[in-house]
Amino acid sequence: MSSTQLIERPYETDDQPGLRPSGRAALRKARSRRARKQALLARYLGYVGYFVGAGLISGAVVHHPLDPARYTRIAGYGVLVFLAATLLNEYILAEKKPTLPRMAQVMGASLLLSFGIGMLSGGLQHFEDFPDRAAILIPVGVTLSFVAYVLKDAESTWRRIFSVAGLSVLVVVAISFVGLRYVASTIEVPVEGGGHSHGGAAEPAEEGHDEKAPEGTTPSAGATQPTSAPAAPGEAEAPGHDDGHGH
């Protein structure tokens, strides 16, 4: 290029139309990065919310037969925490806000995902305590969590559930179900509930002991022994003994 061509060549400035969009995009990215740095606490809460919600649900799912009312409440708290974390991460902190139908799909899938993870996590933690129950929770949890994740993922569609990946998960679930059922059958559980003490295991025995005590009397240390010795032959019965029968 000659000197004359260099002189006549127009200067490249930021005012040219072709450079404006890229400059605006870079500015938006810079603002987004600054906003994410400032939202550190919010991102931390959203991250922890996933694990806390799944943990509450996992404990409630496994221990539900011990105290249905109590663990139903705990599962409800876990669902609220998990959904709140999903709303924070997927909508409030998201750079691109999803549409209302998409957000409803994400929330529904997150609800299923929380229960799937809870079943899987709780079944693994308490397999020795509840072997028969855990042998069912683990395969169901894997299936439910996979389906929910596919529905929640923005890069895939529900048809991926029936893809090669879905078939692989189904095979793993079938094998794990058969294997875990066999392992559960070999585990001897000495006490109902797997010996997993929650403070209420001794109550039935205490109630049965109280029923043996006569009504209106106070149990004592020697309550298991007879209250009075039988009368010897030829001796009169103790005063006040009147049971309505002739002697």
Side-chain angles (χ1 to χ4, degrees), residues 202-214 218-225:
E203 290 181 0
E206 293 178 358
E207 292 177 358
H209 178 70
D210 292 338
E211 290 176 357
K212 295 179 181 180
T218 303
S220 59
T224 57
Q225 300 179 358

Side-chain angles (χ1 to χ4, degrees), residues 134-155:
I136 298 176
L137 289 178
I138 293 175
V140 173
V142 173
T143 305
L144 189 60
S145 60
F146 173 75
V147 173
Y149 184 80
V150 172
L151 296 177
K152 184 176 181 292
D153 188 16
E155 304 298 329

Side-chain angles (χ1 to χ4, degrees), residues 129 188-196 201:
D129 301 319
E188 295 183 0
V189 183
V191 182
E192 185 177 359
H196 194 64

Side-chain angles (χ1 to χ4, degrees), residues 48-64 70-82 114-115 117-119 121-122 125-126:
V48 171
Y50 281 140
F51 292 93
V52 173
L56 291 174
I57 294 172
S58 66
V61 168
V62 175
H63 300 107
H64 188 268
R70 175 188 177 189
Y71 289 108
T72 298
R73 292 195 302 269
I74 293 177
Y77 299 150
V79 168
L80 293 178
V81 172
F82 199 96
S114 65
F115 273 96
I117 296 175
M119 291 178 181
S121 175
Q125 292 180 51
H126 299 284

Side-chain angles (χ1 to χ4, degrees), residues 172-244:
V172 172
V173 167
I175 295 175
S176 64
F177 176 75
V178 175
L180 291 174
R181 291 289 293 177
Y182 172 75
V183 174
S185 64
T186 62
I187 298 177
E188 295 183 0
V189 183
V191 182
E192 185 177 359
H196 194 64
S197 177
H198 289 272
E203 290 181 0
E206 293 178 358
E207 292 177 358
H209 178 70
D210 292 338
E211 290 176 357
K212 295 179 181 180
E215 185 177 359
T217 61
T218 303
S220 59
T224 57
Q225 300 179 358
T227 56
S228 61
E235 292 183 2
E237 292 182 0
H241 179 76
D242 186 9
D243 55 3

